[in-house]
Amino acid sequence: MTSKNASKDLTSSQPVQPTSRVRSRVTLAQIELMQQVARMHNITAAGREIGISGSLAARQIAALERALGVRLFQRTTRSIRLTEAGERVLEWASQTLEGFTALEDSMTTMTQTPRGMIRLAVNYYAAGTYLPRVLSEFCATYPEIKLSVITTDELIDLVTDTIDVAVHSGRIPDSSMVGIRVRSVHRVLCASPEYLRRKGTPKNLSDLNAHDCLVHSSNEPTNWFFRHGDNTVGITVRSRLEANNHNVLVEFARYGLGIARLGRNTVREDLKSGRLIQLLPDYACVYPSGELPNVWILYPNRKLLYRTRVLVDFLSEKLSALTEYPPGE
């Protein structure tokens, strides 16, 4: 195939269909690498993601461009983006990889031995506390499944970020996702003894207006809601410090910087030791709807690969069994 003919094929209205000569020179590894580069906009980072060096990744992309006879990426000193031809090839590449993954999964199901890579997104608290124990058991049970774990407190776009499964704590997820609710999360208002000596102890919700509050920057940063009996009440809080990580908010509270709303399990030992003091225990920390936050297992759609379905079922069973400590403990 000459460069001229290749360009003609790529600008037609039909999907890209490489000739037999090109097929013999294009590998699945190159196609996967191209998809990663298009997603990450960085050849070195994409190579690292699939386990090769940046220089080898650059050579593989160049080899793929030679095989197809077109330039796939427009490169500058600061960015890399798909060319028009690259966009057409990426569409074909994505379909090719999806087909191969489906075939691989079908073969795996026949042998009853799940294998392959799963990209798992988890929040910081889960990653630093209970999840390592759960995943250790999973990896021992399914040694041929490899996990790539991404930590974030944000509810990310599973499709755009090519995430297979997410463990998320917070609001009910977007309706476009498939979610399994594992359990509810009970939060408490708390502050350090040092802060309360300095600022006083709030006796009711209105007293919070005069206090420094430690807020999650993407989760109710200005208004907090509480349920008392059948009533839900919202108040505007004065943010002293904000962070996008609940573990950071715990440290802020421990060092006397203000009042925080934190998961009861997260601060259980702090409350037990007196390092933090629970405030206004008769008020449940809720969302504007009056609902408690929940722990969710999320995935992009109901058509799961065998290995992903194995992980979802395992997480659902193990996380549902985790203890939620009662208020009195």
Side-chain angles (χ1 to χ4, degrees):
M1 175 184 283
T2 66
S3 177
K4 180 178 179 181
N5 289 337
S7 299
K8 184 177 180 180
D9 288 343
L10 290 169
T11 55
S12 69
S13 60
Q14 299 300 316
V16 174
Q17 297 292 342
T19 66
S20 59
R21 189 168 74 86
V22 170
R23 284 198 295 267
S24 68
R25 297 160 57 193
V26 173
T27 68
L28 284 171
Q30 290 172 336
I31 296 172
E32 181 184 15
L33 174 61
M34 180 197 172
Q35 189 180 59
Q36 289 289 353
V37 173
R39 182 175 67 84
M40 304 180 77
H41 305 287
N42 186 295
I43 291 179
T44 300
R48 188 183 306 116
E49 183 72 15
I50 64 174
I52 63 175
S53 68
S55 59
L56 178 56
R59 291 198 298 272
Q60 287 298 315
I61 290 296
L64 180 59
E65 289 179 326
R66 286 195 301 272
L68 294 173
V70 295
R71 182 175 291 278
L72 300 174
F73 294 97
Q74 185 66 44
R75 302 165 178 83
T76 69
T77 55
R78 294 185 177 182
S79 67
I80 180 170
R81 61 180 178 83
L82 286 166
T83 62
E84 182 179 355
E87 291 176 355
R88 296 287 305 281
V89 174
L90 179 64
E91 181 181 356
W92 164 78
S94 299
Q95 294 172 353
T96 299
L97 288 174
E98 287 175 5
F100 181 79
T101 301
L103 174 63
E104 183 184 39
D105 188 61
S106 177
M107 297 300 99
T108 297
T109 303
M110 291 177 64
T111 63
Q112 294 299 305
T113 304
R115 57 171 57 88
M117 169 73 78
I118 300 176
R119 286 173 56 84
L120 172 66
V122 301
N123 60 62
Y124 291 109
Y125 172 69
T129 53
Y130 60 82
L131 206 58
R133 182 177 68 253
V134 172
L135 293 183
S136 174
E137 184 177 347
F138 177 81
C139 291
T141 306
Y142 302 101
E144 295 192 49
I145 293 180
K146 181 180 178 181
L147 298 176
S148 175
V149 180
I150 298 93
T151 52
T152 175
D153 273 350
E154 306 297 327
L155 183 55
I156 59 180
D157 188 322
L158 303 187
V159 175
T160 301
D161 294 303
T162 62
I163 300 298
D164 300 302
V165 184
V167 177
H168 175 73
S169 297
R171 296 180 184 276
I172 296 174
D174 187 281
S175 59
S176 65
M177 301 181 190
V178 181
I180 299 174
R181 188 171 69 87
V182 177
R183 59 185 177 87
S184 295
V185 176
H186 296 269
R187 295 176 292 175
V188 297
L189 274 181
C190 57
S192 72
E194 187 275 332
Y195 172 84
L196 297 176
R197 283 193 297 269
R198 191 173 74 251
K199 292 284 191 174
T201 301
K203 304 298 182 184
N204 51 59
L205 291 182
S206 61
D207 289 347
L208 292 177
N209 294 323
H211 281 270
D212 299 329
C213 294
L214 310 176
V215 303
H216 196 284
S217 55
S218 61
N219 183 9
E220 303 169 309
T222 57
N223 297 292
W224 286 353
F225 291 84
F226 301 87
R227 190 177 64 223
H228 186 255
D230 295 329
N231 298 319
T232 300
V233 180
I235 64 167
T236 300
V237 295
R238 185 178 68 186
S239 170
R240 171 66 185 278
L241 285 170
E242 64 177 46
N244 66 349
N245 183 320
H246 284 100
N247 291 342
V248 174
L249 294 178
V250 172
E251 291 301 319
F252 285 169
R254 287 170 176 165
Y255 279 90
L257 295 176
I259 297 174
R261 299 210 305 178
L262 299 164
R264 193 167 63 208
N265 280 8
T266 306
V267 295
R268 175 175 177 257
E269 294 302 322
D270 290 282
L271 297 176
K272 190 174 181 180
S273 68
R275 190 175 185 180
L276 293 175
I277 306 297
Q278 183 175 354
L279 308 172
L280 305 177
D282 293 335
Y283 290 86
C285 301
V286 296
Y287 288 133
S289 62
E291 295 177 298
L292 294 169
N294 293 294
V295 176
W296 297 87
I297 299 173
L298 305 174
Y299 42 97
N301 55 65
R302 297 185 184 279
K303 188 177 180 181
L304 290 176
L305 296 175
Y306 178 44
R307 61 176 178 262
T308 308
R309 186 167 64 251
V310 166
L311 177 61
V312 167
D313 291 344
F314 189 91
L315 289 176
S316 180
E317 177 187 352
K318 297 299 180 181
L319 300 191
S320 297
L322 289 176
T323 302
E324 173 70 21
Y325 295 106
E329 284 198 23

